[in-house]
Amino acid sequence: MRQSSVRGEGATAQSAGDISGDGAGAVPAPRGGSRRSRRAGGGRGSRRGRRRVLRWVSSALAFLILGTAAAGYLYYRHLNGSIRTDALNLGENKLGGSKPNAFGQTPLNILLIGSDARDDEANQELGGAKDTFGGPPLADVQMLLHLSADRSNMSVVSMPRDTLLMMPKCTEENGKVHPASTRLVQTNQSLSRGGPGCTVAAWTELTKIPIDHFMMIDFKGVVAMADAIGGVPVCVEQNVYSRTREGKGSGLKLPKGTTRIQGEQALQWMRTRYGFEDGTDIGRTHAQHQYMSSLSREFRKNAKLSNPVMLNSLAQAAIKAMVVDPGLNKIDRLYDLSMELKKVPPNRITMSTMPWVYSTREEGRVEPEPGAAEAVFKMVREDVALDGKGSGTPADGASPSPTTPPPAAPTTAPAQAPAKIAVSVVNATNGKDGAQAKVKNRASEIASLMIRKGFTKTSSETTATTGGEDTTVVRFADDAQAADAAAVATALGLPASSVLKSEEVSGITLYVGKDWRTGDAPAPAPPAPTSLPTSAHALNGDNEGACMAIQPGFTW
């Protein structure tokens, strides 16, 4: 733009010289009249000419500036108008936001979803399986990305698509209800229960991690992003060809060593099961981690302001590829998010898999590993770095200081006095597994305790028919009750994560869980681990030597 303006100014100056009669291109003065009058007349004409030229130049420059600005604004509006959105959480339980750290910084949790939807010609061509055309989409890739409060580290936890879970009740924005499942359901079916908002709800129900945003991408989106970045390097330990005798498999065919893949080949890598490790979905998850780690390194190398062509290509590809929640529905919000993610160096990015065990209830499927899976979720909830290196100073490099401004005050109204807060108490001490009987009279015992603490409007629901709870929770019905529910939790020494918004209740209800079968206080929760269990199969984001093992029988 600047070069064009300079060239235009040079051409205009030459024209001004021609009109004024200066230089070799001057127009001869007409015959007759004195030399003085000719000089005087030429001077007036010159001044008039210069004024006309200046007006023309200023008008032209103004037009160019306004035109460029208008074009930029229209392009910005075009990109914003192209962003597709869906509801963030369609479930009943709505957790509050993540707890700020001592410096007022807040973690960020984003659920990344890969959809196998075959809802248009491009996705059908890439996905194959004609018998599934027009069918409900499946969330075949699910990764929770956790950005630490101080932006020093990033953790990614994948859930294998074959994981069996109890699905929560999900209500679409149009009012359609998908009831809670009465049996274990494969986790990738969550997407067909109303969209990505139900996948978020399933993660929230399982992990108790507050999820701030989601990003969902389909087959053609994976292809577009890989092309826009110029390919992603991946590695295999042997030649690999993902194809069975029955014709199953992704069709991925790569030579031993490192290959830069893009386009359809990148999609094949993300979808390969037959040929990697043991031929299960777990091997596919590990391959996805290698790809995502490599992709993040490529972004850091290429997505720079000094490379505007690449940035524009990536921006357009990303917008066309993704569906996001309403909180990410503007270009500037997506840009701000990318800048936050970019603060984390690759050697502080940890890719991991939810610890799992093979299901004894459905062959070939897996379930969260008792104890180990919850340990990983607890590390994320409490903002503990999965690489075991701890947190750093605030991302801007400033040393922590007691003068750092505190987190913003909540927008909800302050809690009422305890005597004005109505609370119902439910006995849920049998736990979700129902392995233990309920403790007799537990609801009335805790109701008496609440009254002694000043919550005089507390009552026990001794006839309530409810499932058990592994941990004690306080549920509330609407935002106006949020502060009062938090006050109940604080009075009992319960963590902030125990306060849940739910459609199951009409008012504030305390569910006394398996962790509080005796005494006047629930059993203190054990501290979060400081390192991942080995079953989480961690991969460091700076590991450029990662290479996929190949399943016997799938080499060439």
Side-chain angles (χ1 to χ4, degrees), residues 207-229:
T207 68
K208 301 299 185 290
I209 296 170
I211 296 176
D212 304 289
H213 300 292
F214 74 80
M215 294 180 173
M216 184 172 69
I217 191 169
D218 56 16
F219 292 150
K220 65 178 184 289
V222 173
V223 171
M225 291 297 290
D227 285 343
I229 200 67

Side-chain angles (χ1 to χ4, degrees), residues 210-520:
I211 296 176
D212 304 289
H213 300 292
F214 74 80
M215 294 180 173
M216 184 172 69
I217 191 169
D218 56 16
F219 292 150
K220 65 178 184 289
V222 173
V223 171
M225 291 297 290
D227 285 343
I229 200 67
V232 177
V234 295
C235 178
V236 290
E237 293 181 354
Q238 298 172 268
N239 297 347
V240 62
Y241 182 41
S242 177
R243 187 68 75 201
T244 67
R245 292 178 180 177
E246 296 77 22
K248 295 181 179 179
S250 69
L252 179 72
K253 189 173 186 179
L254 292 176
K256 176 182 177 179
T258 300
T259 304
R260 182 174 287 272
I261 59 174
Q262 61 187 103
E264 189 171 353
Q265 208 171 36
L267 178 63
Q268 290 174 333
W269 177 277
M270 295 288 279
R271 299 183 68 198
T272 293
R273 179 175 63 177
Y274 301 114
F276 285 156
E277 295 183 353
D278 60 356
T280 68
D281 186 54
I282 306 304
R284 169 164 42 200
T285 299
H286 298 160
Q288 290 167 355
H289 289 170
Q290 185 188 139
Y291 181 91
M292 294 296 289
S293 292
S294 187
L295 178 65
S296 68
R297 292 193 296 270
E298 292 300 304
F299 267 105
R300 294 180 71 87
K301 292 176 186 175
N302 299 306
K304 299 178 179 178
L305 291 175
S306 59
N307 192 349
V309 175
M310 174 70 76
L311 275 178
N312 181 55
S313 178
L314 284 170
Q316 292 197 59
I319 289 168
K320 292 177 182 177
M322 293 189 305
V323 177
V324 299
D325 67 276
L328 293 177
N329 66 346
K330 301 293 182 188
I331 293 295
D332 51 353
R333 294 175 184 175
L334 289 169
Y335 176 80
D336 289 344
L337 173 60
S338 70
M339 291 299 100
E340 290 295 290
L341 297 175
K342 200 172 180 180
K343 291 176 181 177
V344 181
N347 65 350
R348 295 303 311 277
I349 299 174
T350 304
M351 311 290 294
S352 67
T353 304
M354 178 198 75
W356 55 271
V357 292
Y358 279 111
S359 175
T360 58
R361 291 176 274 194
E362 189 171 337
E363 186 178 357
R365 302 293 181 257
V366 303
E367 297 180 32
E369 181 182 358
E374 170 56 22
V376 174
F377 301 150
K378 188 176 181 66
M379 290 178 74
V380 174
R381 284 198 303 267
E382 298 191 11
D383 198 26
V384 177
L386 295 192
D387 61 8
K389 296 178 181 178
S391 298
T393 55
D396 60 3
S399 299
S401 166
T403 60
T404 302
T411 56
T412 54
Q416 302 179 85
K420 294 184 178 181
I421 300 175
V423 183
S424 297
V425 183
V426 173
N427 186 349
T429 53
N430 54 327
K432 287 190 175 180
D433 57 9
Q436 295 174 295
K438 290 183 180 180
V439 178
K440 190 176 181 179
N441 298 325
R442 193 59 178 150
S444 58
E445 290 176 0
I446 300 303
S448 298
L449 172 66
M450 293 289 295
I451 291 172
R452 293 198 299 272
K453 288 180 175 290
F455 294 87
T456 54
K457 297 176 71 174
T458 299
S459 61
S460 59
E461 294 186 16
T462 55
T463 59
T465 56
T466 180
E469 297 286 347
D470 291 336
T471 58
T472 301
V473 293
V474 181
R475 292 191 170 95
F476 63 95
D478 57 57
D479 292 338
Q481 300 167 344
D484 290 349
V488 171
T490 300
L492 296 173
L494 299 173
S497 60
S498 68
V499 182
L500 307 172
K501 183 178 179 181
S502 174
E503 295 176 5
E504 295 178 2
V505 298
S506 57
I508 297 172
T509 306
L510 171 66
Y511 289 78
V512 183
K514 186 171 67 174
D515 61 337
W516 198 5
R517 293 174 63 84
T518 61
D520 287 351

Side-chain angles (χ1 to χ4, degrees), residues 527-546:
T530 55
S531 60
L532 276 175
T534 55
S535 54
H537 198 89
L539 173 67
N540 186 272
D542 206 27
N543 184 358
E544 297 188 24

Side-chain angles (χ1 to χ4, degrees), residues 2-53:
R2 186 176 292 117
Q3 291 175 346
S4 299
S5 300
V6 170
R7 285 196 298 269
E9 288 168 3
T12 304
Q14 179 61 51
S15 299
D18 291 347
I19 293 171
S20 66
D22 295 328
V27 178
R31 294 183 183 274
S34 68
R35 184 175 299 175
R36 182 179 177 180
S37 65
R38 288 198 300 268
R39 283 200 302 267
R44 285 193 298 271
S46 176
R47 285 193 295 273
R48 285 195 298 270
R50 281 195 291 270
R51 283 197 295 270
R52 283 197 299 270
V53 170

